Amino acid sequence: MNSEDILLLITVYGGVILAAFWLAMIIWSYRDMRARSRDNVAQILVALMVAVLTVPGLLIYIFLRPRETLAEAYERSLEEEALLQEIEEKPTCPACGQRVREDWQACAHCHTRLKKPCIHCSRTLELSWNLCPYCATSQVTQEVATGYMPPTRRELSQGWQANAGYDSQSVPQSQRSSETLEFIEGDDYQ
């Protein structure tokens, strides 16, 4: 083997490596753009730009490519949706703004009346409901008998308290028991 054959062999080997590198850049840029965009034309244009301009084309693509992949954008949207759902699902007291539980009848912080028990099945009802959706019992008879009327939106926004609206001494003991609020010690929900 003479020096010309060795030089030819090194040149061919270098050319194969450069061709493989060029092809790898094209494939990488196409796959990367495919992960970042659904636009088929943009994917092909990026591959052509890298094929024609080689390293400068790859650098231009890296500078201009979309910031996040489609998978990252999807994960981010799921996280945002989960955060929004978490915020929406946690009810707050209309008077003090503190978080309350869904089944609480009154706010543990400011004692604002939040819900009332059904007179028949004792399930928790919204204050404005006049009919229990669980047992179909009218709630108007209990409200008239006790003098209790659900607060208006204005009263709720002004911090209407659990004991406001009627005098508990004028209500017979048998009817007062359904209006009793019980708070369990150590049941903090913050």
Side-chain angles (χ1 to χ4, degrees):
M1 236 192 210
N2 60 19
S3 62
E4 289 178 6
D5 290 340
I6 293 174
L7 187 60
L8 181 64
L9 195 60
I10 290 173
T11 305
V12 169
Y13 181 72
V16 168
I17 288 180
L18 284 176
F21 184 70
W22 175 73
L23 188 60
M25 285 189 318
I26 295 169
I27 292 171
W28 180 85
S29 61
Y30 176 76
R31 286 183 177 172
D32 188 67
M33 187 60 175
R34 203 169 85 198
R36 295 174 187 276
S37 173
R38 289 189 178 92
D39 187 7
N40 292 330
V41 174
Q43 296 167 8
I44 293 170
L45 285 177
V46 164
L48 288 174
M49 180 178 68
V50 172
V52 172
L53 300 176
T54 61
V55 175
L58 183 63
L59 290 175
I60 292 170
Y61 167 67
I62 289 173
F63 291 141
L64 298 178
R65 72 183 181 172
R67 186 173 300 182
E68 61 186 2
T69 64
L70 295 173
E72 292 169 344
Y74 179 69
E75 287 175 13
R76 183 178 43 79
S77 70
L78 285 179
E79 288 173 5
E80 289 173 356
E81 185 177 323
L83 286 173
L84 287 174
Q85 196 173 39
E86 185 177 312
I87 290 169
E88 290 174 0
E89 286 179 356
K90 294 184 179 173
T92 58
C93 174
C96 67
Q98 294 286 330
R99 286 188 358 209
V100 294
R101 290 192 181 167
E102 194 68 36
D103 59 340
W104 282 5
Q105 292 185 25
C107 175
H109 306 283
C110 69
H111 305 165
T112 300
R113 185 80 169 176
L114 301 172
K115 297 194 178 181
K116 64 183 178 182
C118 173
I119 60 174
H120 183 259
C121 68
S122 299
R123 293 186 77 171
T124 308
L125 306 176
E126 297 293 327
L127 292 175
S128 61
W129 293 356
N130 294 326
L131 179 74
C132 177
Y134 305 106
C135 66
T137 303
S138 174
Q139 304 299 305
V140 177
T141 57
Q142 175 72 8
E143 293 168 357
V144 171
T146 62
Y148 167 78
M149 293 303 291
T152 63
R153 289 185 189 269
R154 182 175 175 199
E155 289 172 330
L156 285 174
S157 66
Q158 293 174 350
W160 183 79
Q161 300 296 315
N163 61 353
Y166 68 94
D167 179 18
S168 61
Q169 299 303 323
S170 64
V171 178
Q173 179 64 30
S174 62
Q175 293 176 348
R176 260 192 274 151
S177 62
S178 67
E179 294 295 325
T180 302
L181 299 178
E182 246 180 75
F183 297 102
I184 301 170
E185 189 173 323
D187 193 19
D188 295 334
Y189 184 72
Q190 295 186 19

